[in-house]
């Protein structure tokens, strides 16, 4: 396992040699024939796993499919009270990693433990410690944010009165109108729904908070408020936070350490300052953006809208 910090710190999250593959539709013959498809390093259709071993039979590509390795031999630890950032271009495996950490997906290889609990063996116990915010947050769409949030809080043992007070405070700070608080979720824009998802995560004060692009598509003021909440949760509740973001300033300002993912692999893992030090030359002070481009050869564009947004589950 890779160690990047002092061993005296207590690990909240340990990820060891994790691999996750997906079966996806293979390219049509004409595209392969035309040669327009460039095989990328994360395609494992050749039966080789990330660490060079033969792919186990159950992981071989199905007929008409090819295996894509979304997360490829990833190892790291996140320490208690750390704000840990994951940066990567589109398709680099950030959301897959967050889903693995939150027990929504199981690793094909490797192990993940949350405060010593194995995500596979101790799934329910791990679930109680974590909360995840992502663009696919599920709500009862016919119900209002108030009803959704109070329901969610009750599941975590927070009283209705306390939840209502805190929900109003959080949503007020995020700029959600008072009238929207009691209107059906289905009438809200995606950005507004995202704010409710963020409020739900902060209401329940999880020990480990997983934030998959929580601020993408939010207005600048709301972004800053979300960052303030993240800091508050760490400072006042000892929470550990893993956050993916496309906003370099956000990563620089907020994260204690950052892992740069490229094609499912960790290209670098360090403090923002440590990452910049790697490419600092002749007094030029590099930005995190320059570090990212130097390490991956790719640009990290902020998404105006979330392209992989899946319609939320309609539960009512
Ligand atoms: N459920 C799935 N089925 C098949 N392939 C998947 C699935 N989820 C992710 N992938 C593939 O795994 C790779 C990593 O995707 P992932 O969504 O984790 O990337 P990401 O870094 O979150 O990208 P983005 O910045 O666009 O959100 C991509 O090639 C993607 O197509
Ligand atoms: Mg993603």
């Amino acid at each position: 396992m890779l160690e990047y910090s002092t061993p005296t710190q207590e690990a909240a999250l340990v990820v060891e040699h994790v691999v996750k593959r997906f079966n996806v539709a293979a390219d049509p013959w004409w595209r392969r024939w035309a040669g327009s498809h460039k095989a990328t390093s994360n395609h494992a259709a050749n039966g080789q796993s990330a660490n060079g071993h033969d792919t186990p039979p159950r992981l071989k590509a199905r007929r008409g499919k090819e295996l894509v390795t979304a997360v490829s031999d990833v190892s790291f630890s996140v320490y208690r009270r750390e704000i840990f950032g994951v940066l990567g271009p589109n398709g680099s495996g950030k959301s897959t990693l967050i889903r693995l950490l939150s027990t929504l997906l199981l690793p094909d290889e490797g192990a993940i433990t949350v405060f010593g609990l194995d995500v596979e063996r101790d799934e329910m116990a791990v679930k109680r410690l974590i909360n995840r915010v992502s663009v696919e947050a599920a709500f009862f769409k016919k119900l209002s944010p108030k009803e959704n949030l109070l329901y969610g809080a009750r599941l975590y043992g927070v009283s209705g009165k306390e939840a209502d007070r805190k929900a109003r405070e959080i949503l007020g700070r995020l700029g959600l109108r008072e009238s929207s608080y009691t209107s059906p979720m289905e009438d809200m824009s995606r950005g507004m729904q995202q704010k409710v998802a963020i409020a739900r995560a902060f209401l329940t004060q999880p020990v480990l908070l997983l934030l998959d692009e929580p601020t993408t598509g939010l207005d600048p003021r709301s972004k800053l408020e979300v960052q303030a909440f993240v800091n508050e949760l760490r400072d006042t509740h000892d929470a550990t936070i893993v956050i993916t973001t496309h906003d370099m300033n956000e990563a620089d300002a907020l994260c204690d350490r950052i892992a740069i993912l490229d094609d499912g692999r960790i290209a670098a893992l360090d403090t923002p300052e440590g990452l910049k030090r790697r490419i600092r030359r002749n007094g030029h002070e590099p930005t995190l953006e320059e570090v990212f481009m130097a390490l991956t050869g790719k640009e990290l564009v902020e998404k105006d809208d979330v392209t992989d947004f899946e319609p939320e589950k309609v539960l009512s």
Side-chain angles (χ1 to χ4, degrees):
M1 199 193 74
L2 304 175
E3 286 293 346
Y4 292 97
S5 201
T6 52
T8 49
Q9 288 171 282
E10 184 190 345
L13 179 69
V14 179
V15 177
E16 290 172 289
H17 299 294
V18 164
V19 175
K20 183 68 193 175
R21 302 183 190 86
F22 292 110
N23 261 296
V24 294
D27 268 354
W29 67 269
W30 49 265
R31 195 185 296 164
R32 287 201 299 274
W33 176 77
S36 61
H37 171 69
K38 289 196 193 78
T40 57
S41 57
N42 72 351
H43 282 205
N46 58 6
Q48 287 283 303
S49 79
N51 43 24
H53 303 308
D54 280 345
T55 308
R58 71 184 173 93
L59 296 172
K60 289 238 164 83
R62 291 204 300 270
R63 196 181 159 83
K65 304 269 184 172
E66 70 181 303
L67 275 176
V68 169
T69 307
V71 172
S72 185
D73 197 18
V74 162
S75 300
F76 63 91
S77 297
V78 177
Y79 296 95
R80 199 170 150 203
R81 302 190 80 238
E82 189 169 35
I83 301 177
F84 187 90
V86 180
L87 288 181
N90 295 136
S92 57
K94 302 181 297 296
S95 298
T96 305
L97 184 61
I98 294 284
R99 288 186 189 120
L100 287 163
L101 302 180
S102 67
T103 77
L104 277 179
L105 290 173
L106 292 178
D108 293 325
E109 293 175 31
I112 301 172
T113 52
V114 176
F115 289 100
L117 298 164
D118 185 275
V119 289
E120 227 166 315
R121 274 198 317 274
D122 313 307
E123 186 188 334
M124 289 319 291
V126 170
K127 277 203 163 92
R128 277 192 288 274
L129 297 177
I130 57 181
N131 207 329
R132 183 183 71 114
V133 174
S134 85
V135 288
E136 322 122 39
F139 289 109
F140 295 100
K141 300 295 283 277
K142 301 265 181 233
L143 303 185
S144 65
K146 179 178 178 179
E147 290 160 324
N148 271 285
L149 292 175
L150 266 53
Y151 174 77
R154 211 171 303 133
L155 294 181
Y156 281 80
V158 181
S159 80
K161 207 170 155 205
E162 173 67 4
D164 186 47
R165 188 188 63 74
K166 280 184 66 185
R168 283 175 193 274
E169 186 209 319
I170 297 170
L171 288 172
R173 278 173 62 181
L174 290 175
L176 195 87
R177 279 192 308 274
E178 180 78 29
S179 58
S180 301
Y181 184 53
T182 48
S183 310
M185 293 283 299
E186 63 188 0
D187 297 341
M188 293 185 170
S189 71
R190 192 185 55 76
M192 289 159 87
Q193 294 189 23
Q194 200 174 332
K195 289 178 181 180
V196 181
I198 290 164
R200 182 165 61 186
F202 287 109
L203 261 184
T204 55
Q205 293 166 356
V207 181
L208 175 63
L209 180 61
L210 305 171
L211 300 167
D212 191 4
E213 299 203 34
T215 60
T216 297
L218 291 190
D219 53 274
R221 224 201 84 206
S222 305
K223 272 189 186 192
L224 290 178
E225 284 294 352
V226 172
Q227 291 164 21
F229 281 129
V230 168
N231 274 317
E232 271 176 42
L233 197 65
R234 183 254 294 274
D235 295 344
T236 56
H237 290 92
D238 256 10
T240 304
I241 294 116
V242 179
I243 178 169
T244 78
T245 176
H246 271 78
D247 184 331
M248 291 287 186
N249 293 330
E250 178 168 277
D252 208 350
L254 198 59
C255 300
D256 300 311
R257 288 186 306 154
I258 294 170
I260 295 185
L261 266 192
D262 190 23
D263 259 349
R265 294 174 187 278
I266 294 186
L269 196 165
D270 212 332
T271 59
E273 170 55 25
L275 288 171
K276 289 178 199 165
R277 206 181 304 128
R278 292 178 190 214
I279 66 157
R280 194 173 280 137
R281 304 268 182 279
N282 304 330
H284 169 65
E285 181 55 32
T287 61
L288 207 49
E289 200 130 17
E290 286 167 330
V291 176
F292 184 85
M293 286 183 70
L295 285 168
T296 65
K298 293 165 190 157
E299 242 178 291
L300 193 62
V301 281
E302 166 119 39
K303 293 185 277 189
D304 287 338
D305 206 354
V306 181
T307 46
D308 62 355
F309 179 59
E310 295 159 21
E312 297 183 20
K313 288 175 205 141
V314 179
L315 301 172
S316 52

